[in-house]
Amino acid sequence: MLYGSCYYPEHREPNRWEEDLSLMQQAGLNALRIGEFAWKRFEPVEGDYEFHWLDRFIELAGQYGIRSVLCPPMRTVPAWLVERAPDLLIVTNEGHRLEYASRYTFCINHALLREKSASLAAALASRYGSNPHVIGWHLDNEIGDEPDCHCLVCKVKWQQWLSSKYNQIDVLNEAWGTVFWSMEYDHFGQIPTPRITKADYNPGFLQAWREFRSDCSIDTVTLLSDAIRPHLPEHGPYITTNNQMYWSKRTDYYKMARYLDITGTNYYPPYGENCDTLAFGLAANRSFKKAPFHVYELRNEGHSIIGAANNTPAPGELERLTLHTIANGADGVFYFPWKRFPFGSEQNHGAITDFDGKPTRMYDECGRIGKQLRRVALQIEGSLIISDIAVLYDFQSRWHIECDSPWTGDKRLYEKQINMLYRTVRALGYNCDAVGINGDFSSYKLLLVPMLPIVDDELVMKLKLYAEAGGIILFHPMSGIKNADACYYPNRLHPEMIKLLGSRTLETVTSNPLSPVTFQWNGEQYQGSLFLEIIQMDSAQVLGTFIDHWFEGSPTITKQSIGEGHVWFVATFAEERFYRDFISLLCQQIGMSPLLNAVPPTGVEVSMRQSACGASYTFVINNRHESAEITLPSDLTDIWNGEHLSQNFTLQPYQVRILTDAGKMQVLDESIRVSL
Ligand code: GAL
């Protein structure tokens, strides 16, 4: 298990490196992420690599038992390169070239940037590929987090991409429906990038553009990994990168993960609250390769930003945040950054040590966590989260909801809905996975679909087979309505979706969240809003109805039996209280019980990791400042604090416990294992 931080040796006088490394060693760190912004120090003059300082640093860190995860940079480039090719600066959708004043302002498709960054990556890999102190290769930083570029290079690449996707221009015209507003193209060379225009772009155009930009991100991943991989010994270091915090919509991370060995992410949730605001991001990162992942940037100290809320961790919060990431499947955690930056844009960013590198309050907590991790790392590493419930997460559908068109409405609905479903399941005390449309649904008893506007025959068939085999699906409005080019299916639904739901949509109604609609289900009244469907039953059962407005009596909750399984439909976006009641009942009906056999107290997070040898580790984390009373199904051992716990105990504010059945414990090891 990796316990590390992000360090910038190029910011520090070399004669202070040992001081920093010694503090890291004392705090139990065993890894550092380095290099992502150091292009100029790696290549001060074009073609003239200068790696001696890096040789010395990597070697010295190794002597302190700290291995390096090396990042070949790409999108933070030296001035000499921009001077040579000013056209590698991004052109915005308004036609302005960005200024050379910060990172991520460079066109990732520009041939010279690609050539120079691949050469640098190859030079680094040929020098350090077999270095025993370099355990991983982290490609650039936050790939995908740059504005869309509209330069000529991108325009030509976009036209070629369209040409290979659609083959003939008439196929594209037909697929997008360009007859609307007389926008039919004669050849691919006429198609612009989506720069500003008078009214709105065709949704098919925008859908393809997002997919194209995502493919461009993936091209940078393959460019760098192809440059590095030939220099790595077999079964040697891994290749990874840090997905942007949370779950950025810009890159289809399921597709990108095919080219990486391990998924990585950044994680900056607010302090002082439950960890559930962004926690779906951890489940999503776990799902991209269906394996443990690394958090390459975890927030720690508060930032010195006047008026910033939820910014400063109370004592114990760094511990609960670190363990929260591990509880949700991380096998490596790195704090960003190790030392406060006295200069540069992020000089107000919190860190583990101060401007002068001296320990802060965070350092003490980091050291305590390091010591405790050392005790449990061997047991936890590689263990998996096994979940019966998953939330379906799909980039195509998300792109569609978030596309740049006033005709879609609330662009954050997909994100809100996915978070709400995830949060509800976790608050009920169950593990919850994310799963992509190409993932394996068969291990899940319950599949929650936040909405799924874009479907094709294959996906609807996959959902049908899942239900027939005994799966339970929960659908919402705007599911199964459009094809991959964002055009509606006739009859408002894919024909097989009509059979799957056992109902058809007659009409859609929208409502402002401030004037919600009311429905009844299971003897209770609930509210829904934003979007609802007036549906007509074919074969589904009606279990709840709207009880106000002109559509009073229209079905809200329906259930269709298919083979061994069931397909539920909620015909609106309901309030959170409904999901808590509904999912809780559904889980009981399926015969599932929460991880500790009870719904945890508010703010207490429970999750379980299971190792291959059958041991299970239940993380119980108090995310609140108040203590909480916990009742266990039986006496258990807390391996985090080294205590035996009787059935009833008090969880102190921000306290973390990792419970296991002592009989199944593996041999404890006093050292953190670095091997992967
Ligand atoms: C991350 C980024 C880091 C740093 C950090 C600030 O998204 O990767 O380089 O900018 O944000 O919180």
Side-chain angles (χ1 to χ4, degrees):
M1 183 167 277
L2 299 181
Y3 186 51
S5 190
C6 305
Y7 186 68
Y8 298 87
E10 70 275 20
H11 290 187
R12 194 76 163 137
E13 306 83 352
N15 63 4
R16 311 282 303 269
W17 286 342
E18 282 207 63
E19 192 183 308
D20 294 346
L21 289 166
S22 158
L23 279 176
M24 292 172 196
Q25 185 188 46
Q26 288 167 47
L29 262 57
N30 60 11
L32 286 180
R33 191 193 71 173
I34 53 172
E36 75 275 22
F37 303 128
W39 190 337
K40 172 71 174 164
R41 297 294 174 104
F42 292 148
E43 193 177 0
V45 176
E46 185 171 357
D48 234 343
Y49 296 128
E50 172 48 69
F51 295 143
H52 292 108
W53 65 273
L54 189 61
D55 295 347
R56 281 203 303 284
F57 181 77
I58 289 175
E59 177 58 34
L60 200 59
Q63 284 169 17
Y64 279 84
I66 296 175
R67 317 234 192 143
S68 296
V69 176
L70 191 50
C71 314
M74 177 174 184
R75 287 145 52 255
T76 307
V77 318
W80 56 254
L81 185 53
V82 183
E83 188 173 38
R84 179 174 156 192
D87 65 340
L88 59 73
L89 288 164
I90 284 174
V91 175
T92 66
N93 67 344
E94 292 180 327
H96 303 306
R97 254 196 212 281
L98 292 181
E99 189 48 89
Y100 176 66
S102 78
R103 62 183 179 185
Y104 312 161
T105 49
F106 314 99
C107 172
I108 55 174
N109 295 320
H110 194 287
L112 190 66
L113 178 62
R114 288 173 62 80
E115 180 202 319
K116 289 285 161 197
S117 55
S119 303
L120 174 57
L124 285 164
S126 95
R127 195 171 184 101
Y128 303 107
S130 302
N131 185 317
H133 300 311
V134 177
I135 50 164
W137 290 79
H138 177 296
L139 311 178
D140 197 42
N141 193 59
E142 301 181 309
I143 288 177
D145 183 24
E146 67 276 325
D148 287 351
C149 180
H150 297 260
C151 72
L152 194 57
V153 174
C154 286
K155 185 171 170 182
V156 171
K157 183 165 174 166
W158 159 238
Q159 291 168 345
Q160 287 164 348
W161 184 92
L162 288 171
S163 159
S164 68
K165 181 174 164 100
Y166 292 99
N167 222 342
Q168 289 174 19
I169 197 68
D170 288 347
V171 177
L172 178 147
N173 282 324
E174 178 70 24
W176 292 1
T178 51
V179 62
F180 190 78
W181 288 348
S182 204
M183 303 298 301
E184 285 157 308
Y185 303 107
D186 305 306
H187 56 86
F188 289 99
Q190 289 174 339
I191 305 179
T193 61
R195 286 198 184 192
I196 52 168
T197 185
K198 158 70 178 75
D200 322 308
Y201 276 83
N202 183 316
F205 185 119
L206 294 177
Q207 192 70 14
W209 174 253
R210 284 271 55 89
E211 191 181 345
F212 165 71
R213 290 305 322 178
S214 168
D215 279 359
C216 294
S217 292
I218 294 167
D219 276 357
T220 66
V221 165
T222 52
L223 175 83
L224 296 175
S225 60
D226 288 352
I228 293 166
R229 219 178 269 285
H231 302 282
L232 304 187
E234 222 184 320
H235 310 302
Y238 61 86
I239 297 186
T240 187
T241 189
N242 55 342
N243 295 337
Q244 230 186 325
M245 184 177 94
Y246 197 20
W247 39 295
S248 156
K249 72 164 186 185
R250 295 183 47 83
T251 309
D252 181 341
Y253 290 136
Y254 286 105
K255 200 167 171 186
M256 188 169 103
R258 293 180 205 151
Y259 307 98
L260 301 170
D261 302 316
I262 293 181
T263 307
T265 190
N266 297 343
Y267 198 54
Y268 291 86
Y271 280 119
E273 288 183 359
N274 279 355
C275 276
D276 56 17
T277 348
L278 302 178
F280 178 76
L282 299 179
N285 275 283
R286 199 167 73 223
S287 77
F288 298 144
K289 285 194 88 65
K290 207 161 174 35
F293 60 96
H294 294 166
V295 174
Y296 279 105
E297 292 183 28
L298 185 65
R299 75 176 300 180
N300 42 86
E301 197 200 15
H303 309 318
S304 311
I305 301 177
I306 299 167
N310 300 106
N311 175 42
T312 310
E317 280 207 87
L318 188 65
E319 177 185 353
R320 66 135 187 151
L321 187 57
T322 308
L323 271 288
H324 158 75
T325 66
I326 297 173
N328 284 282
D331 263 2
V333 186
F334 292 65
Y335 299 115
F336 179 93
W338 177 255
K339 189 175 103 44
R340 272 186 167 251
F341 307 117
F343 42 69
S345 316
E346 294 180 352
Q347 52 187 256
N348 288 340
H349 204 292
I352 299 288
T353 61
D354 222 329
F355 297 107
D356 57 359
K358 297 283 182 280
T360 60
R361 177 169 68 88
M362 286 300 106
Y363 176 81
D364 296 340
E365 200 160 323
C366 157
R368 187 164 51 76
I369 300 166
K371 203 173 282 166
Q372 285 176 239
L373 256 188
R374 188 175 285 268
R375 285 213 313 268
V376 304
L378 252 193
Q379 291 160 275
I380 307 290
E381 186 185 6
S383 60
L384 300 176
I385 292 183
I386 312 286
S387 173
D388 288 329
I389 308 174
V391 176
L392 188 66
Y393 178 36
D394 177 39
F395 282 90
Q396 296 276 348
S397 281
R398 188 172 174 202
W399 289 334
H400 179 60
I401 296 296
E402 297 181 8
C403 81
D404 189 14
S405 160
W407 286 96
T408 327
D410 183 355
K411 304 232 174 311
R412 296 204 51 215
L413 183 57
Y414 191 84
E415 188 184 328
K416 285 188 213 158
Q417 187 69 2
I418 212 160
N419 269 327
M420 189 275 298
L421 290 170
Y422 179 79
R423 186 167 63 229
T424 301
V425 174
R426 299 285 294 120
L428 289 169
Y430 294 94
N431 280 344
C432 187
D433 273 356
V435 65
I437 55 169
N438 295 314
D440 178 11
F441 301 163
S442 68
S443 62
Y444 301 113
K445 294 183 173 148
L446 177 58
L447 185 64
L448 303 171
V449 183
M451 65 180 101
L452 188 65
I454 308 286
V455 295
D456 58 12
D457 298 350
E458 197 185 328
L459 179 55
V460 183
M461 185 52 67
K462 182 171 173 172
L463 290 162
K464 181 166 171 260
L465 291 174
Y466 166 72
E468 280 174 353
I472 296 174
I473 311 180
L474 175 66
F475 278 115
H476 286 90
M478 303 179 73
S479 298
I481 56 175
K482 296 192 178 189
N483 66 18
D485 293 297
C487 294
Y488 272 106
Y489 287 110
N491 300 322
R492 292 174 185 255
L493 284 175
H494 185 288
E496 291 298 323
M497 269 302 281
I498 297 178
K499 294 190 199 152
L500 201 54
L501 295 172
S503 65
R504 55 192 70 226
T505 307
L506 301 178
E507 190 175 342
T508 55
V509 177
T510 61
S511 90
N512 183 305
L514 300 177
S515 33
V517 297
T518 312
F519 64 93
Q520 60 79 23
W521 170 76
N522 203 23
E524 288 275 335
Q525 292 188 4
Y526 301 93
Q527 295 190 323
S529 68
L530 298 172
F531 198 90
L532 57 107
E533 293 189 0
I534 309 294
I535 56 177
Q536 175 187 304
M537 294 302 101
D538 281 350
S539 48
Q541 271 176 277
V542 178
L543 291 161
T545 51
F546 291 111
I547 55 171
D548 52 15
H549 299 276
W550 59 266
F551 41 85
E552 182 181 348
S554 179
T556 321
I557 313 292
T558 69
K559 179 185 179 188
Q560 159 88 339
S561 299
I562 302 231
E564 303 288 308
H566 302 291
V567 176
W568 290 84
F569 183 59
V570 180
T572 185
F573 295 102
E575 61 177 301
E576 196 154 341
R577 184 174 60 94
F578 164 75
Y579 292 98
R580 199 175 160 99
D581 294 350
F582 181 77
I583 294 174
S584 159
L585 191 66
L586 211 52
C587 290
Q588 275 173 36
Q589 286 172 358
I590 303 170
M592 291 162 50
S593 40
L595 291 169
L596 289 178
N597 280 347
V599 175
T602 306
V604 173
E605 178 181 7
V606 181
S607 68
M608 187 195 277
R609 292 182 64 157
Q610 282 172 261
S611 72
C613 65
S616 63
Y617 304 99
T618 306
F619 291 72
V620 185
I621 301 175
N622 189 354
N623 285 309
R624 298 213 306 175
H625 192 56
E626 295 100 65
S627 58
E629 298 306 316
I630 307 288
T631 303
L632 301 177
S634 61
D635 292 7
L636 288 171
T637 299
D638 168 6
I639 58 168
W640 182 245
N641 300 290
E643 288 171 23
H644 186 75
L645 292 177
S646 60
Q647 267 185 279
N648 298 302
F649 68 90
T650 303
L651 197 60
Q652 300 303 331
Y654 303 131
Q655 194 176 19
V656 176
R657 295 202 174 265
I658 307 179
L659 308 176
T660 193
D661 181 343
K664 291 189 182 160
M665 274 169 68
Q666 295 172 0
V667 182
L668 292 178
D669 194 273
E670 273 304 312
S671 60
I672 297 178
R673 195 160 51 122
V674 178
S675 66
L676 283 149

